[in-house]
């Protein structure tokens, strides 16, 4: 039984009023799809509104610096998405006359756009008869088809996407993809799905078999590595010294200078490491005050930062990779939530182990 008719009727009746669905454009679709990856709708809305106000067009985004784009992304996490979005805009302007290309294949050739984003933009913005499978969609399709293989395995995702693609109706492919994702976000939720309210329950294999709570199956995740670092909060009392991060975690954002520690290293080693990074940024011989520790759980890493305050009489000169910034001025730079916390601890009173998952 095709699921599209009842699913789309439900979607038309209940879909959420979201800023990227009002007067939609391909550009709005692209921005929202990248922001929504790994992030909830509620968290994305204020970021989307600010982003569209600052960069209303692809051309405006392409003309911006990476720092400006990362600054507006500050706190949203997964900063590679911000850099990828800007790179895609630059390519669209230089190679496609300032418009997004219309086909899934061409969209997939833009730098930084993976298969999911290319399919989502092609279907939603250009009506291509394709299907984009995100985490919510994978859960819905696995339950509908009674698929008990792990949805973390690429072959299963291919199978689920193919099943979704077969269901895409003529005429409304973008709405179909969005309806499947919406169903996963609001009805077919990971725990306690509301099968009684589900518009496609009559077609659901897992519901008929009584296996809803066993699907989707996930591959057991390996434990996150636990990482310890020492941070140097160099300050003249009004400003702090931030450095631009290179490759790796939070690449492209600004943070306190830091050094990795072996997990069992004692606090004396942390102090020495902080002194070393301070020397590397041009601060020698100053007193180090241990302010405490911050724990932050990233998706792939569990980080504990030992934060040391280092007072200097005068701020030095900034540069391409170093800046002296007042805490209020951090909004002008790309600064992660993690860095905001380490700076607050470095400048403020001592405390320990404030945990947050990004
Ligand atoms: Fe999900 Fe239940 Fe609907 Fe099946 S019937 S798709 S398990 S909400």
């Amino acid at each position: 039984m095709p699921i599209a008719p009842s699913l789309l009727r439900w979607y038309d009746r209940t879909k959420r009023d979201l800023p990227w669905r009002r007067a939609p454009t391909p550009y709005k679709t692209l921005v929202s799809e990248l922001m929504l990856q790994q992030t909830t709708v509620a968290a994305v809305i204020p970021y989307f509104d600010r982003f569209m106000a600052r960069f209303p067009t692809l051309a405006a985004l392409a003309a911006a610096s990476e720092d400006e784009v990362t600054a507006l992304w500050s706190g949203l996490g997964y900063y590679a998405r911000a850099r990828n979005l800007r790179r895609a805009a630059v390519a669209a302007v230089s190679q496609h006359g300032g418009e997004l290309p219309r086909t899934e294949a061409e969209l997939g050739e833009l730098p930084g756009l993976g298969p999911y984003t290319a399919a989502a933009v092609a279907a939603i913005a250009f009506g291509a008869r394709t299907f984009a499978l995100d985490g919510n969609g994978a859960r819905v399709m696995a339950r509908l088809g009674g698929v008990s293989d792990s949805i973390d395995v690429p072959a299963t995702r291919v199978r689920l996407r193919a099943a979704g693609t077969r269901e895409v109706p003529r005429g409304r492919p973008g709405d179909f993809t969005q309806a499947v994702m919406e169903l996963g976000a609001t009805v077919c939720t990971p725990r306690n799905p509301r099968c009684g309210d589900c518009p496609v329950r009559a077609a659901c294999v897992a519901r008929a078999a009584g296996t809803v709570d066993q699907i989707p199956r996930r591959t057991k995740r390996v434990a996150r590595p636990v990482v310890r670092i020492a941070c140097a909060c160099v300050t003249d009392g009004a400003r702090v010294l931030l450095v631009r991060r290179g490759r790796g975690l939070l690449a492209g954002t600004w943070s306190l200078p830091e050094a990795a520690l072996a997990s069992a290293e004692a606090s004396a080693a942390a102090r020495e490491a902080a002194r070393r990074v301070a020397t590397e940024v041009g601060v020698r011989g100053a007193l180090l005050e241990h302010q405490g520790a911050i724990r932050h759980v990233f998706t792939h890493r569990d980080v504990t930062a030992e934060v040391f305050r280092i007072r200097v009489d005068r701020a030095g000169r900034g540069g391409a990779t170093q800046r002296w910034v007042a805490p209020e001025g951090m909004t002008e730079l790309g600064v992660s939530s993690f860095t905001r916390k380490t700076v607050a601890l470095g400048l403020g009173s001592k405390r320990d182990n404030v945990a947050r998952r990004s």
Side-chain angles (χ1 to χ4, degrees), residues 63-74:
S65 70
E66 194 173 299
D67 270 351
E68 287 176 283
V69 180
T70 312
L72 270 190
W73 211 273
S74 288

Side-chain angles (χ1 to χ4, degrees), residues 46-67:
Y47 281 89
F48 179 85
D49 288 340
R50 277 196 297 271
F51 201 91
M52 295 310 297
R54 175 68 185 79
F55 306 120
T57 61
L58 267 174
L61 176 58
S65 70
E66 194 173 299
D67 270 351

Side-chain angles (χ1 to χ4, degrees), residues 241-245 250 253-258 334-336 339:
L241 179 62
L242 298 184
V243 295
R244 197 167 205 277
R245 300 176 76 96
L250 303 175
T253 65
W254 294 78
S255 70
L256 296 179
E258 70 182 40
V335 173
S336 68
T339 293

Side-chain angles (χ1 to χ4, degrees), residues 229-230 232 258-261 265 268-278 288:
I229 61 172
E258 70 182 40
L261 298 169
E265 268 183 321
R271 182 175 292 274
E272 270 323 295
R275 191 184 304 284
R276 198 171 61 244
V277 288
L288 275 75

